[in-house]
């Protein structure tokens, strides 16, 4: 089937406060997040460099739309970046040209490189972490948080599997973190934990490699759960 990408989004989905655009939305993590959010009533836009692939994924989810990254970002309240680290800098430079004041960027990137049969190993980006690299590449004043590096893409995609884990959230501004938490908490079974400033994000990004190794050894999809926290968590 040939899909013609419209020049603009339908009016019903443009400038919607309940809208999230996922850059890299056809990848494993991006599609997993799109799946869970779409089934939770969030207006999901799946972005990709290949509009037809994005629309094909969107057609399988309730209320979702798909298209090229630029069109999907326009007017979205939050922009989630779910790309491999090899594409991270290029993606952030592209977003920097179109992101508007008031839009929030949620960076899910974990800096990893293949390590042969051992799987993946963490690396240290020039800025200290992927999130700090994003901060350096995005316009000054862009709302930015780091989150979701420790959540299994495979578990997210399978809606029959329950989630019961915490999401480590880092950012320099409380309002940005609260907005990200409100969106992430829409996914049943995920609980966001404020872990501090953006320069802490390198720690949570490196945990991804640890979990991948554990999952490989035990043939499972584990996550992070912090104990001893007050209930409900204060914002």
């Amino acid at each position: 089937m040939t899909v013609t990408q419209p020049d603009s989004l339908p009016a019903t989905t443009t400038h919607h406060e309940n809208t999230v655009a996922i850059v890299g939305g056809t990848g494993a993590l991006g599609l997993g997040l799109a799946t869970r959010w779409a089934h939770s009533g969030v207006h999901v836009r799946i972005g990709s460099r290949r509009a037809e692939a994005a629309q094909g994924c969107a057609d399988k989810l309730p209320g979702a739309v798909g298209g090229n990254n630029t069109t999907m970002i326009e007017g979205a309240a939050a922009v989630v970046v779910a790309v491999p680290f090899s594409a991270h800098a290029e993606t952030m430079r592209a977003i920097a040209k179109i992101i508007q004041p008031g839009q929030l960027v949620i960076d899910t990137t974990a800096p990893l490189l293949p390590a042969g049969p051992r799987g993946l190993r963490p690396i240290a980006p020039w800025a200290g972490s992927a999130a700090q690299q994003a901060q350096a590449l995005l316009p000054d004043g862009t709302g930015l948080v780091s989150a979701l590096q420790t959540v299994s893409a495979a578990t997210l995609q399978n809606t029959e599997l329950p989630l019961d884990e915490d999401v480590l959230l880092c950012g320099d501004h409380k309002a940005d973190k609260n907005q990200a938490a409100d969106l992430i908490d829409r996914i049943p079974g995920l609980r966001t934990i404020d872990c501090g400033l953006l320069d802490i994000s390198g720690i949570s990004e490196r945990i991804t490699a640890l979990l991948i190794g554990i999952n490989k050894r035990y043939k499972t999809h584990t996550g992070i759960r912090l104990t001893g926290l007050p209930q409900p968590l204060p914002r």
Side-chain angles (χ1 to χ4, degrees), residues 113-235:
L113 284 180
R118 294 181 297 171
L120 297 168
R121 64 179 178 86
I123 60 172
W126 56 268
S129 67
Q132 288 170 295
Q133 177 172 287
Q135 186 178 50
L137 295 172
L138 292 171
D140 292 342
T142 300
L144 174 66
V145 298
S146 170
L148 294 161
Q149 294 89 353
T150 62
V151 182
S152 164
T155 304
L156 286 169
Q157 288 189 38
N158 187 349
T159 56
E160 295 184 1
L161 295 178
L163 294 164
D164 182 24
E165 56 190 274
D166 292 331
V167 174
L168 310 180
L169 191 68
C170 299
D172 290 341
H173 300 286
K174 190 173 184 64
D176 295 335
K177 288 189 281 188
N178 284 344
Q179 183 182 347
D182 288 342
L183 177 62
I184 294 168
D185 289 344
R186 291 286 299 272
I187 300 177
L190 294 186
R191 180 182 67 164
T192 51
I193 305 295
D194 186 345
C195 294
L197 298 178
L198 201 67
D199 59 12
I200 298 294
S201 63
I203 297 173
S204 53
E205 291 172 16
R206 293 176 72 86
I207 292 175
T208 303
L210 173 69
L211 294 180
I212 289 173
I214 292 172
N215 290 339
K216 195 170 184 179
R217 282 188 291 276
Y218 292 96
K219 296 178 173 51
T220 187
H221 299 291
T222 189
I224 295 292
R225 190 69 170 170
L226 302 181
T227 62
L229 291 169
Q231 295 293 338
L233 288 175
R235 286 280 183 89

Side-chain angles (χ1 to χ4, degrees), residues 58-79:
D59 288 341
K60 302 173 184 177
L61 298 176
V65 296
N68 65 69
N69 287 322
T70 300
T71 303
M72 295 299 101
I73 289 173
E74 182 182 353
V79 178

Side-chain angles (χ1 to χ4, degrees), residues 22 24-35 82-84 151-157:
I22 305 176
T26 59
L29 179 61
L31 185 56
L33 290 169
T35 300
V83 299
V151 182
S152 164
T155 304
L156 286 169
Q157 288 189 38

Side-chain angles (χ1 to χ4, degrees), residues 32-151:
L33 290 169
T35 300
R36 294 285 180 160
W37 272 321
H39 284 282
S40 298
V42 176
H43 298 284
V44 173
R45 301 179 186 171
I46 297 177
S48 173
R49 288 178 294 182
R50 297 188 302 121
E52 291 187 4
Q55 186 60 55
C57 291
D59 288 341
K60 302 173 184 177
L61 298 176
V65 296
N68 65 69
N69 287 322
T70 300
T71 303
M72 295 299 101
I73 289 173
E74 182 182 353
V79 178
V80 175
V81 178
V83 299
F85 183 66
S86 58
H88 184 261
E90 176 188 358
T91 300
M92 288 301 174
R93 290 190 182 101
I95 291 174
K97 298 176 182 177
I98 55 176
I99 198 75
Q100 296 296 311
Q103 289 183 289
L104 175 70
V105 176
I106 302 175
D107 192 359
T108 73
T109 309
L112 302 172
L113 284 180
R118 294 181 297 171
L120 297 168
R121 64 179 178 86
I123 60 172
W126 56 268
S129 67
Q132 288 170 295
Q133 177 172 287
Q135 186 178 50
L137 295 172
L138 292 171
D140 292 342
T142 300
L144 174 66
V145 298
S146 170
L148 294 161
Q149 294 89 353
T150 62
V151 182

